[in-house]
Amino acid sequence: MFELPEQKVEELKSFILNHEFFFIAGHKEPDGDCVTSCLGIAAILDHFEKPYQLLSAGPFKRNEVLRWQERFSDTMEFQDENERKKTGLFIADCSEIIRLGEIDGDLKGFDTFVIDHHKTSELDSQIKGYVNADSPACAFLIQLFYEALIGPLPAELAKTLFFGICTDTGFFRFLTDNSSEVFSAVSRLVADGADPRSTYREINSGKPYSTRKLLGVLLNKAERYLDGRLVVTYESLEDTKKWGMDGRDSDSLYQLMLSAKGVEAVVFLRQDTQTTCTGGFRSQDKIDVSVVAAKFGGGGHKNASGMSCNGRVETLIPQIVKEFARIM
């Protein structure tokens, strides 16, 4: 069975009881798992009657998470030196302060507790927390912490965490090991009030028309490498200017390209500025894309990772293909 170590449950409880105020933050450009994990931590703090502030550098690009944007701020509440000593920092769905992005205020120096599930995450010896790369989503870990500390989830929280688990698992398409334990846990969420059908609609409906047009552009640019096993596509500054940034739907892009016969891995690059790029990597079962992402300052999971780095698409593509050639 997939169970939290009792020591970590007690460590989290002690962390909560030993602080008077908390900041809760997730990675920049938050996805559904990141947002709902932060909200789940907030629900735990609500139970212990502890005040907190939800932080996010944003931007909230994904259509499905926009409804929660107003609950987050990119500016920390001011604290004097004495207050900072009594404040704890929760980091969800990543393990490094640098990945939190541009938040107005100093997040360094706080007593910190990390909850994460990324393969490339590591905890500094000075930081408390729990990282389990076998977990399908950070929201899944939050669910287990809530149940261990408090008990069954209220309906709204069950819906929220179910949403987060569904977004990170592709509505359970990406599950591998521990599947029975995951389905056992999410069945409890359904019993507590989560609705799979409405959740699927919330995740997949309401996409801006422009995202459908952009999807066609990206598919048209896709090129095959390494005997057709790797597919790479990219978005230029001109594409972004024409089609905008709202309601991005990279999941559909990856799904379509990975469904092609013989394709084992997919790379999507976006030129963010004249000198910086972000990238997403996806793969079938045996290809560990986190190895490649780490070469470019990124990380993530075996079959789903990302990166941000300096460079231009035309020079990064051959470098990335070269790294994939080492593992494919």
Side-chain angles (χ1 to χ4, degrees), residues 281-295:
F281 307 138
R282 299 293 186 273
S283 68
Q284 306 286 16
D285 293 337
K286 65 179 182 178
I287 307 299
D288 188 350
V289 295
S290 70
V291 174
V292 178
K295 294 286 187 178

Side-chain angles (χ1 to χ4, degrees), residues 265-280:
V266 171
V267 174
F268 166 54
L269 294 177
R270 183 175 69 237
Q271 192 76 51
D272 291 321
T273 70
Q274 291 290 346
T275 58
T276 60
C277 288
T278 56

Side-chain angles (χ1 to χ4, degrees), residues 2 33 44 73 89 136 147 153 179 185 189 205 281 311:
F2 191 107
D33 187 32
I44 293 174
S73 172
L89 169 64
E147 290 172 334
L153 281 68
S179 294
L189 294 180
S205 300
F281 307 138

Side-chain angles (χ1 to χ4, degrees), residues 1-13 44 113-117 129-151 153 181 185 188:
M1 292 293 291
F2 191 107
E3 295 182 357
L4 291 174
E6 184 176 346
Q7 173 191 353
K8 290 299 178 181
V9 176
E10 290 302 315
E11 187 177 306
L12 175 59
K13 183 176 181 180
I44 293 174
F113 197 101
V114 168
I115 303 177
D116 192 18
H117 71 124
Y130 184 57
V131 176
N132 190 323
D134 292 328
S135 174
C138 187
F140 174 72
L141 297 177
I142 303 300
Q143 175 192 351
L144 298 185
F145 271 119
Y146 190 100
E147 290 172 334
L149 285 168
I150 302 168
L153 281 68
E181 288 89 344
R188 297 195 297 273

